Amino acid sequence: MKLYFSPGACSLASHIALHASGLPFSVEKVNLRVQPHQTESGADFSAINPKGYVPALQLDNGELLTEGAAILQYIADQAAGKALAPANGTLARYRLQEWLNYIATEVHKNFSPLFYPGSDEAKQQAWDKLTARFALLERTLAQSPYLLGAQFSVADAYLFTCLSWSRYVQRSLADFPALIDYQKRVAALPAAQAALKAEGLAD
Ligand SMILES: N[C@@H](CCC(=O)N[C@@H](CS)C(=O)NCC(=O)O)C(=O)O
């Protein structure tokens, strides 16, 4: 498998999951700052992934899998012994999908206005929405170490990645102590350490 990623972007979640899976994989960096986006080896990324964004996972059979929530579950299912996702067909698996969808649509995408040019008002609106989402996450993570309870899952890799963006957009999570503790807890995991180091983000 080969992961196309950009340092610190949402692809970091897939990168963490790959390290946690113990499966063999390679990575290729994508420069999102140039148009069209270019891979480290000089390829036009849109020729590899017509969607033009990371993450994208090239499977061993040559197919390309896109969309973080799908990639994360694929990785988890390839490494069933690592318990990165509950078994397919169980209610717990739907809980995982519930979180993945919440993170993708309510957290990840509400960060977007904070990264791109726009009015202060639009940015504040996005942050207000995010903090409402964080309040629910704060209550959840004050009661259990990970989103699904005692066990780390790929949803945690995704949420951890999105929470890390608050630093890049100069916003504080100080009102959410359980989220700060959670960030530290996930950051300390060997898979997160390895992915952060590989992306040049280890503090
Ligand atoms: N729907 C996609 C969104 C992925 C996405 O937003 N990727 C961002 C980085 S976090 C990206 O590559 N942006 C560059 C672009 O859209 O040109 C998913 O859930 O994986």
Side-chain angles (χ1 to χ4, degrees), residues 49-67:
N49 178 12
K51 288 178 173 171
Y53 48 67
V54 295
L57 186 70
Q58 191 168 51
L59 308 183
D60 292 340
N61 68 2
E63 283 189 48
L64 193 79
L65 187 64
T66 62
E67 302 301 321

Side-chain angles (χ1 to χ4, degrees), residues 8-119:
C10 49
S11 47
L12 173 62
S14 301
H15 204 169
I16 293 170
L18 281 167
H19 276 288
S21 75
L23 297 165
F25 69 94
S26 62
V27 294
E28 183 161 358
K29 201 189 292 188
V30 179
N31 186 348
L32 299 177
R33 293 207 170 87
V34 296
Q35 293 290 350
H37 302 332
Q38 270 215 334
T39 73
E40 203 165 23
S41 61
D44 173 355
F45 182 55
S46 63
I48 296 165
N49 178 12
K51 288 178 173 171
Y53 48 67
V54 295
L57 186 70
Q58 191 168 51
L59 308 183
D60 292 340
N61 68 2
E63 283 189 48
L64 193 79
L65 187 64
T66 62
E67 302 301 321
I71 291 172
L72 288 168
Q73 291 184 75
Y74 178 83
I75 294 167
D77 287 342
Q78 297 308 299
K82 301 286 180 173
L84 297 172
N88 270 299
T90 60
L91 180 60
R93 181 59 169 252
Y94 295 109
R95 291 287 174 215
L96 173 79
Q97 290 170 348
E98 190 178 20
W99 279 124
L100 288 172
N101 203 55
Y102 184 79
I103 299 163
T105 59
E106 303 298 330
V107 181
H108 178 168
K109 285 300 159 184
N110 274 324
F111 263 103
S112 301
L114 295 159
F115 277 106
Y116 296 110
S119 66

Side-chain angles (χ1 to χ4, degrees), residues 135-158:
L136 176 111
L137 291 162
E138 171 78 9
R139 286 196 295 278
T140 303
L141 291 164
Q143 287 170 12
S144 66
Y146 299 111
L147 287 168
L148 294 183
Q151 176 67 40
F152 171 83
S153 76
V154 290
D156 297 299
Y158 195 6

Side-chain angles (χ1 to χ4, degrees), residues 147-178:
L147 287 168
L148 294 183
Q151 176 67 40
F152 171 83
S153 76
V154 290
D156 297 299
Y158 195 6
L159 179 59
F160 168 77
T161 297
C162 294
L163 292 177
S164 74
W165 298 338
S166 54
R167 187 159 55 114
Y168 302 146
V169 298
Q170 282 94 42
R171 303 277 172 160
S172 169
L173 292 179
D175 289 343
F176 305 100

